[in-house]
Amino acid sequence: MRRTRLLTGALLGAATALLALPGPVSADDDTSGKAPAQAGTSFRTAAQMQQDQKATTSASTGDYLYWSYPADAGQRPTVRASVDLSTAQARHGAQTWRIDVYDGLRRRQSCMYGMQARTVPAEAKSVELGCTLRPVRAWSEAWANDPLPGTYFVRLTVTSLADADLGQPVRASVEAHSKDIGSSGAVDGTLSAPLVPGTTASAEKAAPVDGWSSGWWTGRWVWTAAGAVLAALAGIGGYALTRGSGRPVGAP
């Protein structure tokens, strides 16, 4: 009986230890927080990344490469792309590479500044591209093309090259950074939801790490309150200076 109890206790302890072991890590958990190592080939398959991450991919010359990242109100995003041409064989002519940025409605956004397209000679080893967008607004008129909070798509491709250079291997990397412009870009209004295409699950995955901003709080509240206080103090000071010393002595 004693041996039976000992054997039973050992089996229960082993079972408990096995149950306590962590289960297999899913693909989503394993890649959580990591920059993608492959690019998509369309808007629907764009590789999702976060700002301040550097996404990389291996591709062939002539491919359309797509990535997506979130941008919130009050940010001025800058997208940079680098194409490594050193892995290709001798090229037959110059190449023109271009980067385009689209918002959640797939409207192409213009660049405030940056080298959006560049032509490099046949012997070039790399090409650098950049695009700084206009500040993202929390709300806009329906007819306007202002950048709005949500998902932004980056498309990188070659637009001009010799036919003999199609299909040569290249490596590309893309990264996005933002500058907080503060209350200078604040507007009176907010979207009901960020422009994030897809299902609820994909929308949550495409959100920034710290979540979307509520949109109602801006630095204008501080300036409005400070202005009201200064106006009240100015009124009190003006009254104190102009009221005089009261009724003159000897006046009837």
Side-chain angles (χ1 to χ4, degrees), residues 24-131:
V25 179
S26 64
D28 292 340
D29 295 339
D30 187 47
T31 58
S32 173
K34 295 182 179 179
Q38 294 293 332
T41 56
S42 66
F43 286 104
R44 293 177 60 86
T45 61
Q48 291 184 351
M49 66 178 187
Q50 291 290 332
Q51 293 196 36
D52 301 325
Q53 287 184 338
K54 188 173 185 179
T56 58
T57 188
S58 297
S60 300
T61 305
D63 290 345
Y64 283 85
L65 307 176
Y66 287 82
W67 294 269
S68 66
Y69 70 93
D72 210 346
Q75 296 181 342
R76 188 175 65 190
T78 297
V79 180
R80 295 186 177 90
S82 176
V83 183
D84 182 8
L85 304 173
S86 61
T87 57
Q89 301 175 359
R91 292 183 297 277
H92 298 80
Q95 295 184 359
T96 301
W97 287 82
R98 181 181 178 87
I99 187 173
D100 292 294
V101 183
Y102 299 82
D103 65 5
L105 298 177
R106 300 183 186 179
R107 303 175 302 180
R108 192 178 72 83
Q109 294 296 317
S110 58
C111 301
M112 292 179 59
Y113 50 84
M115 187 64 70
Q116 187 176 6
R118 176 171 287 177
T119 301
V120 295
E123 63 275 8
K125 299 298 182 182
S126 64
V127 56
E128 304 288 336
L129 303 170
C131 175

Side-chain angles (χ1 to χ4, degrees), residues 183 216-234:
S183 59
W216 67 271
W217 171 261
T218 67
R220 291 189 175 186
W221 289 94
V222 178
W223 290 108
T224 301
V229 173
L230 292 176
L233 293 176

Side-chain angles (χ1 to χ4, degrees), residues 114-200:
M115 187 64 70
Q116 187 176 6
R118 176 171 287 177
T119 301
V120 295
E123 63 275 8
K125 299 298 182 182
S126 64
V127 56
E128 304 288 336
L129 303 170
C131 175
T132 298
L133 301 179
R134 295 170 295 167
V136 179
R137 297 162 57 90
W139 179 83
S140 178
E141 295 288 350
W143 48 262
N145 193 36
D146 296 319
L148 296 171
T151 297
Y152 281 75
F153 298 93
V154 182
R155 184 179 70 184
L156 175 66
T157 189
V158 60
T159 58
S160 176
L161 79 166
D163 292 342
D165 292 334
L166 278 173
Q168 289 194 357
V170 294
R171 285 195 58 82
S173 62
V174 168
E175 53 188 334
H177 307 280
S178 285
K179 178 181 179 181
D180 189 0
I181 61 172
S183 59
S184 60
V187 294
D188 297 330
T190 58
L191 293 178
S192 58
L195 301 177
V196 179
T199 61
T200 304

